[in-house]
Each structure stands twice: as structure tokens, then as C-alpha cells.
Amino acid sequence: MVLIKLFGTLRLKTGCKHATAEITHVKEACDILAAKTGLSPKEFKKCVIAINGKPSNFHASLQDGDELAFFSPSGGG
């Protein structure tokens, strides 16, 4: 089971703080979150991704017990 956490404006947009799922790739998490929140999977692809606190990417593999975090991209100016 993988714990999926959402941070930043992504959390505000979805109203979802976290979810759990039996998945093996980050892409699967994007698809699950999209179905659960009604957002496009593309919204999750734009995020900064971390696995167990270490930077990762959309194509990464996951193992049972991992913590997957999605951080909204920030803007400024």
C-alpha cells in the first residue's frame, strides 16, 4: 500500500489531503487522483513529486510502504 499526499494549491483545489492505494508506478497515482478529484491527470504531472522525501518523477516505480507526495508548482513574480 502506498500513501499519497497532496500539498499546496493542489490540496486546496481537490479538498483531498491524502489517499492510499495499491500501485506500482507514479502514473497510476495520477490516474487514481484524477478519478477521485475530477481533475485531469495532467494537473498531477505538472507537480513536483517526491517519494519518501526524495525528489522523483512521473515515471518512477513505487514499492509497498512508500510515501508519494505531490507538491503544486509555485508561481511568483
Side-chain angles (χ1 to χ4, degrees):
M1 191 72 67
V2 174
L3 175 63
I4 306 165
K5 292 184 173 183
L6 304 179
F7 295 92
T9 56
L10 187 60
R11 181 185 282 188
L12 295 174
K13 276 184 180 179
T14 62
C16 180
K17 291 172 66 174
H18 56 81
T20 56
E22 291 195 30
I23 54 177
T24 57
H25 291 89
V26 173
K27 182 192 179 310
E28 291 175 279
C30 294
D31 294 338
I32 288 170
L33 289 170
K36 183 174 181 161
T37 63
L39 294 177
S40 165
K42 290 180 183 180
E43 289 285 328
F44 299 97
K45 289 181 186 179
K46 296 180 207 173
C47 295
V48 174
I49 298 169
I51 298 174
N52 300 324
K54 296 180 182 171
S56 192
N57 62 59
F58 177 74
H59 302 287
S61 296
L62 298 164
Q63 296 180 2
D64 190 34
D66 280 346
E67 182 178 288
L68 172 63
F70 288 90
F71 297 88
S72 299
S74 60

